[in-house]
């Protein structure tokens, strides 16, 4: 099985995702260029963090029109796994592969800090190697990370257990203080109804070795490997 | 042949000459060089190249005295950035530069474009940027204008670096009324490459092609270099249009395209079009290569119609590069740029004839003989005389200053210092910067004395830090210059790194004033003393004069950017106490030194007294001893004593990591010959607080190097609080109260900001 990591011109976490998958996980990965229409046989697509096309308009708003995204959307419609991290999450929302939207952080400032995430659902192809309710320490780094969705959309997410990660405090409570950006219901990551597309604002690819502050992010990639390779 | 005026050019008059910042003597020099009256275009070119910012005309003779060599220095001063070898065939390029003037009038764009410029300086050497640092100085945060500048600068730095995707990991930030109205914004970039990828900005190869690469040229930033070469005044706000506008997305494209271009072998030289734009980049490249160049400005890709040669030459539009391509490889260069959706246009060539020539089509609009345009710029050594006011302040007997009644509680004083913005946690700043992108940040801002960045694919890491206490330099420039280097060296050593080399950013007032020039000469001298003693040569830097406003000059601030090398990842050391029961040691000794301290400034509102002495031989021994102990695995934490002295250093080691705080029980009764205030809050140099499981081993290492050292206490759990016993008094405080003071100070002040910059949102804040 093979990961495919997309590089948009303004991607800046593509190297990190590539290294996490190849070095820390030991899997194989292909770099995918935004101008191409070729997924190079990748089984799992990662849309990495960054500023895809500058994001002067609205984060991810232009990326959805890029050539590679046509293939990514096709891949997702066929049930292929897609993981969007940070800017990747924004692109997935803009592309309609995930419901809701990511707005400017409530405090109107970029925020980079290590947050605590609670695993809300381990019944996904992205989280099956975690325990339900497990607390993870993973960094966020974004200006537009405030997840929002209308009431009925939120109800559907909750009913279908599509909320995968929430921002919580050290004791595991989804408190307002633990919410770094004002996301609705402290939502940090969601999957689509079918369960093959996940978006999350925090950066699991940055915490895959003890040297860089722990391995809490590795489970996301291990989960994919476990499910897709099985 | 020679240049002739264009139709419509203004006549060169004494008024026009003065407007261009040239003195009558400088103008005469220009006429002698040309053997005729200059054209308007030539006047513009010379105005930029002979501006202080580009020519270093008041600083060169002094800068020449600095040590610049070591076996590991691959590229010293004179290039876009310095480069050192770090082993295993890897090299590190690094440089610091100021963007003070633009940031004073337009903080957001001023700071953002400062980051952009220093990034380009590093990647034009062939290095991939891996870390950014910022050394910032502001007036008092009690001023609304200062809070606006502070918020805008931080936001500008963050939005630019975050978008390009380079982690901002360290720096230093201080606040003092001396910087009111004239903040200092010094940005440093560190990049890594293989030694064989090093490329310079030396034009060579007659017949090779000169190409403009990246963004198009517009009318923004014209005369930015000259603007940065004069005092700020009430009219400075009117010069906001001279501040450039940054586009970090284009910068990211240019970064990738440039590195690809450099590795492709199609080019022989590359240089950022920074200050004074096309003019300085082309003239400097020609001078370095000792060749002639001919440039046709009509071929330059422009943003708007009707730009004159003068405007095209002096525009400081951002995100542009000048490249010398091998003849016949132009299409290949265009291909690489096109991949990144950028343009590359042929605008000239390297010629055998020793001239610097600018044409507009076939019309020669400027022509200078040889490389004299750069090499023959005027050099000044102004009068130097120490200010009598400084002499008077230095002579103040600070021990005679009575304690305030509140100081009866030593914990009150400690909390006052911990909540001083200069000392307090800068988390409010750093959380706006992406610190961990590129997945190499082993230690980011806060928990150690320097940031530690992994050199991927190796067991090695870099430790990086900026430092300078301008108050010391103000009160005694030579000592202040020494301390700036020594402290930076100590800081990287505390993380387990051998200090390797420095870059510097010399922020001073108007050099034509004797007291400013005196402080410049002495501070640079002190810096040189320390670099020689500590074996850390200067690999480059930048001089920023004219940091003055109607209220006077800023403190002389020679900011040091230090790079250290950690040989093995196992040596990475932080500044925080981790394990109750471990011993706390002090390397170095406290002395009766209270002058120039943060204590006097914060608690008494007094800037006076002599700064602490700096014994450079002792500093070297201290670093050697510490590194010995760290490499042997004997050190659990190491933290340098700086602003706020020993008590602040110990308190910080207890609670910088708020989630994992510790207490401590300290006994300083052995130093009953030092006053309580000096013992706790004096800023005696050459001291490091260490925690360890094996105190005897650390004492042994210190002894081997002749470093005085003593066990002063033990780490306790956080709920035991911090206790410091003196001969007759005792300081005790709950750790949480110290943490509240330290971590809460800046957020509390900044929550009062009704930030004007929020409406000024031109760069992406995106993800």
């Amino acid at each position: 099985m093979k990961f495919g990591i997309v590089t948009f011109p303004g991607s800046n976490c593509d190297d990190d995702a590539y290294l996490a998958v190849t070095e820390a996980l030991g899997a194989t990965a292909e770099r995918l260029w935004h101008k191409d229409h070729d997924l190079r046989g990748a089984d799992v697509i990662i849309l990495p963090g960054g500023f895809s096309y500058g994001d002067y308009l609205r984060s991810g708003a232009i990326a959805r029109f890029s050539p590679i995204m046509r293939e990514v959307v096709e891949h997702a419609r066929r049930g292929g796994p897609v993981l969007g991290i940070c800017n990747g999450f924004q692109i997935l929302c803009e592309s309609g592969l995930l419901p809701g939207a990511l707005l400017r952080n409530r405090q109107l400032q970029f925020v980079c800090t290590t947050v605590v995430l609670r695993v809300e659902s381990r019944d996904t192809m992205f989280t099956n190697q975690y325990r339900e309710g497990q607390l993870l320490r993973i960094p966020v780094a974004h200006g537009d990370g405030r997840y929002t969705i209308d009431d009925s959309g939120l109800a559907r997410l909750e009913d279908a257990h599509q909320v995968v990660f929430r921002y919580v405090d050290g004791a595991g409570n989804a408190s307002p203080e633990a919410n770094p950006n004002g996301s609705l219901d402290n939502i940090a990551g969601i999957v689509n109804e079918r369960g093959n597309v996940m978006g999350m604002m925090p950066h699991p690819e940055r915490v895959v070795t003890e040297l860089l502050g722990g391995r809490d992010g590795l489970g996301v990639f291990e989960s994919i490997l476990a499910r897709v390779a099985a | 042949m020679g240049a002739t005026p264009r139709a419509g050019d203004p006549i060169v008059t004494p008024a026009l000459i003065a407007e261009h910042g040239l003195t009558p003597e400088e103008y005469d020099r220009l006429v002698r060089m040309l053997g005729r009256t200059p054209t308007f275009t030539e006047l513009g070119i010379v105005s930029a190249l002979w501006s202080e910012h580009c020519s270093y005309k008041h600083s060169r003779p002094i800068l020449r005295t600095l040590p610049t060599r070591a076996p590991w220095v691959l590229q010293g001063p004179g290039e876009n950035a310095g480069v050192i070898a770090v082993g295993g065939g890897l090299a590190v390029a690094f440089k610091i530069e100021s963007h003070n003037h633009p940031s004073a009038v337009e903080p957001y764009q001023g700071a953002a474009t400062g980051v952009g410029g220093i990034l380009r300086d590093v990647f034009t050497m062939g290095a991939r940027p891996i870390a950014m640092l910022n050394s910032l100085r502001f007036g008092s945060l009690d001023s609304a204008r200062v809070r606006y500048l502070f918020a805008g600068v931080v936001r500008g730095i963050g939005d630019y670096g975050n978008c390009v995707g380079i982690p901002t990991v360290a720096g230093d930030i201080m606040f003092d009324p001396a910087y009111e109205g004239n903040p200092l914004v010094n940005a440093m970039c560190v990049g890594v490459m293989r030694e064989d990828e090093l490329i310079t900005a030396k034009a060579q190869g007659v017949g090779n092609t000169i190409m403009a690469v990246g963004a198009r040229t517009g009318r923004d930033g014209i005369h930015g270099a000259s603007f940065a070469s004069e005092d700020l005044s009430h009219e400075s706000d009117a010069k906001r249009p001279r501040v450039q506008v940054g586009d970090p997305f284009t910068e990211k494209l240019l970064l990738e395209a440039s590195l690809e271009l450099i590795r492709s072998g199609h080019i022989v030289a590359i240089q950022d079009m920074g200050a004074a734009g096309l003019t300085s980049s082309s003239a400097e490249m020609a001078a370095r290569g000792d060749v002639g160049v001919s440039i046709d400005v009509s071929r330059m890709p422009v943003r708007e119609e009707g730009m004159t040669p003068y405007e095209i030459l002096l525009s400081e539009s951002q995100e542009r590069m000048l490249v010398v391509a091998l003849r016949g490889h132009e299409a290949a260069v265009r291909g690489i740029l096109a991949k990144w959706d950028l343009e590359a246009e042929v605008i000239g060539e390297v010629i055998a004839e020793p001239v610097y020539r600018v044409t507009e089509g076939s019309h020669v609009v400027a022509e200078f003989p040889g490389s004299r345009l750069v090499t023959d710029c005027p050099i000044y050594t102004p009068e130097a005389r120490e200010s009598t006011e400084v002499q008077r302040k230095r002579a103040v007997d600070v021990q005679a200053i009575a304690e305030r009644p509140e100081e009866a509680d030593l914990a009150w004083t400690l909390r006052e210092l911990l909540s001083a913005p200069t000392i307090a946690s800068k988390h409010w700043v750093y959380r706006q910067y992406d610190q961990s992108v590129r997945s190499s940040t082993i230690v980011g801002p806060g928990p150690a004395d320097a940031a530690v960045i992994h050199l991927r694919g190796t067991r090695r890491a870099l430790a990086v830090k900026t430092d300078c206490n301008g108050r010391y330099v103000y009160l005694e420039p030579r000592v202040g210059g020494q301390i700036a280097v020594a402290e930076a060296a100590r800081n990287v050593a505390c993380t387990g790194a051998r200090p390797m080399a420095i870059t510097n950013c010399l922020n001073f007032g108007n050099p034509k004033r004797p007291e400013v020039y005196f402080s410049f000469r002495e501070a640079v001298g002190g810096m040189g003393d320390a670099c020689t003693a500590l074996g850390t040569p200067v690999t480059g830097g930048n001089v920023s004069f004219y940091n003055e406003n109607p209220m006077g000059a800023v403190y002389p601030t020679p900011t040091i950017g230090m790079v250290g090398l950690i040989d093995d990842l196992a040596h990475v050391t932080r500044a925080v106490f981790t394990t109750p029961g471990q011993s706390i040691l002090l390397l170095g000794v406290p002395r009766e030194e209270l002058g120039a301290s943060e204590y006097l400034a914060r608690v008494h509102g007094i800037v006076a007294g002599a700064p602490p002495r700096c014994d450079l031989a002792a500093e070297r021994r201290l670093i050697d001893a510490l590194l010995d102990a760290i490499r042997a695995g004997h050190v659990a934490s190491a933290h340098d004593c700086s602003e706020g002295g020993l008590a602040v250093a110990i308190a910080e080691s207890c609670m910088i990591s708020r989630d994992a705080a510790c207490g401590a029980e300290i006994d300083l009764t052995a130093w009953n010959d030092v006053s309580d205030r000096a013992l706790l809050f004096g800023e005696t140099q050459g001291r490091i607080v260490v925690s360890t499981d094996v105190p005897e081993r650390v004492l042994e290492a210190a002894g081997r190097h002749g470093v005085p050292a003593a066990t002063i206490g033990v780490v306790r759990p956080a709920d035991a609080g911090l206790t410091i016993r003196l001969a007759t008094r005792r300081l005790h405080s709950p750790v949480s109260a110290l943490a509240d003071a330290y971590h809460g100070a800046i957020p509390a002040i900044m929550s009062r900001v009704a930030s004007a910059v929020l409406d000024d949102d031109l760069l992406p804040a995106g993800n």
Side-chain angles (χ1 to χ4, degrees):
Chain A
M1 91 139 236
K2 196 156 76 172
F3 286 83
I5 291 148
V6 176
T7 298
F8 298 101
S11 294
N12 58 34
C13 302
D14 47 337
D15 287 350
D16 299 350
Y18 183 83
L19 289 175
V21 165
T22 54
E23 288 185 6
L25 188 67
T28 50
E30 283 277 353
R31 311 293 298 250
L32 307 176
W33 183 236
H34 68 113
K35 290 182 184 174
D36 293 342
H37 276 290
D38 184 359
L39 297 185
R40 297 171 179 270
D43 304 289
V44 181
I45 303 301
I46 297 179
L47 303 183
F51 287 75
S52 46
Y53 290 83
D55 290 350
Y56 291 97
L57 171 60
R58 202 174 63 238
S59 296
I62 296 177
R64 62 173 290 208
F65 297 109
S66 71
I68 196 77
M69 280 308 292
R70 210 167 74 197
E71 323 307 320
V72 173
V73 169
E74 274 304 305
H75 172 82
R77 297 241 158 90
R78 286 194 305 267
V82 179
L83 168 62
I85 301 167
C86 197
N87 191 220
F89 186 10
Q90 294 160 345
I91 294 167
L92 290 173
C93 289
E94 288 287 337
S95 312
L97 290 176
L98 288 174
L102 292 147
L103 307 178
R104 176 64 54 94
N105 294 346
R106 184 181 44 195
Q107 70 277 27
L108 304 179
Q109 284 175 347
F110 189 96
V111 60
C112 177
T113 189
T114 296
V115 296
V116 182
L117 295 184
R118 189 174 67 206
V119 178
E120 301 292 273
S121 165
R122 65 176 302 277
D123 187 24
T124 79
M125 68 166 70
F126 305 96
T127 51
N128 55 70
Q129 299 297 302
Y130 293 119
R131 282 174 284 106
E132 194 95 33
Q134 187 176 342
L135 301 186
L136 311 174
R137 294 180 61 82
I138 296 186
V140 291
H142 58 248
D144 294 345
R146 176 158 57 105
Y147 184 75
T148 190
I149 191 167
D150 60 22
D151 291 345
S152 59
L154 180 63
R156 278 198 300 277
L157 280 183
E158 295 286 5
D159 291 348
H161 303 288
Q162 285 172 248
V163 176
V164 180
F165 296 115
R166 275 200 170 80
Y167 302 109
V168 296
D169 59 22
N173 302 311
S175 62
E177 297 74 33
N179 190 337
N181 52 32
S183 286
L184 186 67
D185 274 11
N186 286 41
I187 291 172
I190 59 170
V191 288
N192 64 348
E193 230 173 301
R194 192 168 167 181
N196 63 315
V197 178
M198 180 170 87
M200 62 189 297
M201 286 314 294
H203 286 275
E205 80 282 11
R206 295 189 190 179
V207 273
V208 294
T209 70
E210 291 301 336
L211 181 67
L212 300 177
R215 297 158 58 88
D216 280 2
L218 193 57
V220 170
F221 305 99
E222 287 173 337
S223 298
I224 300 170
L225 192 63
R227 186 63 62 90
V228 177
Chain B
M1 208 167 104
T4 51
R6 296 170 80 245
D9 272 356
I11 307 292
V12 176
T13 62
L16 191 69
I17 293 162
E19 215 174 281
H20 278 76
L22 290 184
T23 64
E25 295 74 30
E26 287 172 341
Y27 179 74
D28 289 346
R29 189 186 186 99
L30 171 59
V31 171
R32 279 200 307 277
M33 179 194 291
L34 293 172
R36 60 179 164 77
T37 304
T39 65
F40 176 58
T41 308
E42 287 168 335
L43 185 63
I45 289 172
V46 168
S47 149
L49 288 180
W50 289 3
S51 70
E52 190 67 52
H53 191 81
C54 291
S55 73
Y56 295 82
K57 59 189 169 189
H58 285 96
S59 59
R60 260 194 230 190
I62 304 284
L63 297 179
R64 279 202 197 102
T65 64
L66 290 170
T68 58
R69 286 164 201 271
W72 54 90
V73 174
L74 302 179
Q75 177 64 61
E79 269 290 343
N80 285 313
V83 182
I84 58 171
V86 292
L90 287 181
V92 168
F94 62 106
K95 172 92 176 283
I96 190 167
E97 204 159 76
S98 64
H99 239 218
N100 306 338
H101 283 71
S103 303
V105 296
E106 170 42 53
Y108 180 83
Q109 292 293 351
T113 52
V115 172
I118 198 66
L119 275 165
R120 290 192 294 282
D121 279 343
V122 164
F123 69 72
T124 52
M125 300 302 292
R128 176 171 286 278
I130 59 169
M132 297 287 314
L133 299 85
N134 297 284
S135 178
L136 309 177
R137 298 290 180 275
F138 296 95
S140 163
L141 282 177
D142 294 334
S143 144
R145 169 78 184 171
V146 170
R147 293 197 299 273
Y148 158 76
L149 292 173
F150 178 48
V153 163
V154 168
R155 194 179 177 82
I157 288 169
D159 282 359
Y160 204 100
N162 295 344
C163 180
V164 180
I166 313 302
T168 301
V169 295
D172 66 309
I173 309 174
M174 293 188 179
F175 302 87
D176 191 290
Y179 300 102
E180 193 103 31
N182 200 141
L184 303 185
V185 176
N186 296 175
M188 173 168 165
C189 181
V190 181
V192 67
M193 67 183 127
R194 291 202 323 264
E195 282 184 34
D196 59 6
E197 289 168 337
L198 174 59
I199 185 169
T200 57
K202 191 193 282 184
Q204 48 197 343
V206 170
N208 279 338
T209 304
I210 297 174
M211 301 177 83
V213 159
R216 290 178 157 249
T217 298
R219 287 193 165 101
D220 49 329
I222 292 173
H223 280 310
S226 316
F227 168 47
S229 304
E230 57 193 54
D231 296 347
L232 289 169
S233 65
H234 293 304
E235 288 88 56
S236 295
D237 268 349
K239 290 181 177 165
R240 275 183 111 193
R242 289 197 184 176
V243 179
Q244 313 83 340
V245 176
D247 174 1
F249 176 59
T250 298
E251 178 95 345
K252 165 74 172 158
L253 303 180
L254 192 59
L255 187 168
E256 299 298 342
S258 297
L259 290 179
E260 202 169 324
L261 207 52
I262 290 165
R263 315 255 195 277
S264 73
H266 295 306
I267 66 170
V268 297
I270 180 167
Q271 163 137 5
D272 171 32
M273 287 195 234
L278 175 59
T279 294
S280 80
S281 53
S282 55
E284 285 173 12
M285 267 188 160
R288 287 198 195 102
D290 203 17
V291 292
V293 296
S294 175
I295 285 173
D296 179 358
V297 290
S298 69
R299 301 175 78 175
M300 190 80 173
V302 289
R303 281 183 201 148
E304 41 195 320
E305 292 297 309
M307 286 183 70
T308 64
Y310 181 99
E311 289 171 325
I312 291 169
L313 283 161
L314 294 178
S315 161
E316 293 187 8
S317 289
Q318 297 288 290
E319 293 93 19
R320 300 178 303 157
M321 289 285 182
L322 194 67
V323 161
V324 180
L326 287 168
R327 184 179 211 159
H329 293 240
E330 297 82 359
V333 170
R334 280 204 190 89
I336 289 172
L337 271 294
K339 175 184 165 189
W340 295 98
D341 298 319
L342 293 172
E343 290 180 287
E345 211 43 69
V346 173
I347 61 163
E349 67 175 321
V350 179
I351 57 177
E353 195 186 345
V355 295
Y356 176 81
R357 180 181 298 141
V358 181
T359 65
E360 183 184 28
S362 59
H363 179 190
V364 178
V365 294
E367 185 170 302
F368 297 90
S371 55
R372 292 177 59 192
L373 186 52
V374 174
T375 54
D376 278 16
C377 82
I379 296 289
Y380 300 107
T381 304
E383 188 194 346
R385 192 175 57 242
E386 185 167 35
S387 146
T388 50
E389 189 190 337
V390 168
Q391 288 173 340
R392 189 178 52 72
K393 285 185 181 168
R394 189 170 60 230
V396 167
D397 176 11
V398 295
Q399 277 183 274
I401 296 165
E403 282 194 15
R404 286 171 54 174
E406 300 94 321
E407 293 182 65
D409 177 10
L410 293 168
W412 176 87
T413 317
L414 178 55
R415 285 195 307 272
E416 270 299 291
L417 285 171
L418 290 172
S419 60
T422 289
I423 291 175
S425 166
K426 308 302 187 298
H427 184 64
W428 183 90
V429 172
Y430 286 106
R431 68 183 266 132
Q432 297 186 53
Y433 303 155
D434 193 333
Q435 308 150 21
S436 50
V437 61
R438 294 193 50 74
S439 293
S440 301
T441 308
I442 298 173
V443 184
D449 282 8
V452 179
I453 307 296
H454 184 204
L455 290 169
R456 280 184 191 165
T458 76
R459 290 285 301 165
R460 289 188 296 278
L462 296 180
V464 291
K465 184 70 171 76
T466 61
D467 275 302
C468 181
N469 184 319
R471 195 183 289 139
Y472 297 166
V473 186
Y474 169 69
L475 286 165
E476 196 169 348
R478 186 136 204 136
V479 173
Q482 293 173 345
I483 289 177
V485 178
E487 186 188 351
R490 231 159 33 222
N491 277 328
V492 300
C494 282
T495 67
R498 162 68 56 197
M500 297 289 283
I502 70 157
T503 176
N504 60 63
C505 194
L506 308 174
N507 307 275
F508 288 78
N510 183 339
K512 293 166 193 157
R513 294 205 291 123
E515 63 275 23
V516 169
Y517 195 70
F518 175 87
S519 66
F520 177 75
R521 192 187 71 194
E522 291 301 303
V524 173
M527 219 172 74
D529 298 342
C531 287
T532 302
L534 301 176
T536 54
V538 178
T539 63
N542 153 251
V543 179
S544 172
F545 282 131
Y546 303 99
N547 289 290
E548 304 219 359
N549 59 51
M551 288 164 294
V554 298
Y555 285 154
T557 310
T559 302
I560 305 300
M562 176 72 73
V563 174
L565 181 63
I566 298 176
D567 296 329
D568 191 307
L569 295 172
H571 302 160
V572 175
T573 304
R574 291 169 173 76
V576 293
F577 297 149
T578 56
T579 314
Q582 286 185 333
S583 298
I584 300 171
L585 274 60
L586 178 65
L587 310 187
V589 283
R591 296 184 204 287
E592 188 61 53
E593 292 181 309
L594 205 54
S597 61
E598 183 68 19
Y599 161 81
L600 286 179
R602 172 74 172 176
V603 179
H604 295 276
I606 291 171
V607 173
R613 300 298 90 189
C614 185
D615 179 343
L616 292 167
E619 296 280 359
R620 171 122 203 187
R621 291 194 297 270
L622 177 71
I623 289 170
D624 289 342
L626 177 69
L627 289 178
D628 263 12
I630 286 176
R631 288 170 181 160
H634 298 328
V635 173
S637 75
H639 187 23
D640 144 72
C641 294
S642 57
E643 287 79 23
L646 182 57
V648 163
I650 292 167
E652 286 174 343
S653 287
C654 286
M655 55 71 201
I656 297 175
S657 288
R658 201 168 189 176
D659 300 338
C662 286
E665 200 175 317
I666 305 286
D667 183 342
L668 302 180
T669 52
W671 288 287
N672 56 10
D673 55 333
V674 180
S675 70
D676 294 346
R677 296 191 289 183
L679 189 49
L680 291 172
F681 310 119
E683 298 174 8
T684 294
Q685 298 296 296
R687 294 182 302 165
I688 293 169
V689 175
V690 165
S691 69
T692 174
D693 271 327
V694 283
E696 66 287 353
R697 293 294 178 78
V698 178
L699 292 172
E700 223 173 77
R704 264 201 312 280
H705 291 275
V707 174
T711 301
I712 57 168
V714 62
V715 180
R716 294 290 184 211
D719 55 18
L722 169 64
T723 306
I724 303 178
R725 283 202 294 133
L726 308 175
T728 57
R729 292 162 80 182
R730 179 171 168 275
L731 182 158
H732 178 80
S733 172
V735 171
S736 59
L738 302 176
D740 287 347
Y742 179 80
H743 292 281
I746 291 180
I749 295 168
M750 295 312 288
S751 65
R752 303 204 303 256
V753 173
S755 179
V757 282
L758 295 181
D759 307 324
D760 209 11
D761 207 2
L762 296 172
L763 297 191
N767 66 37

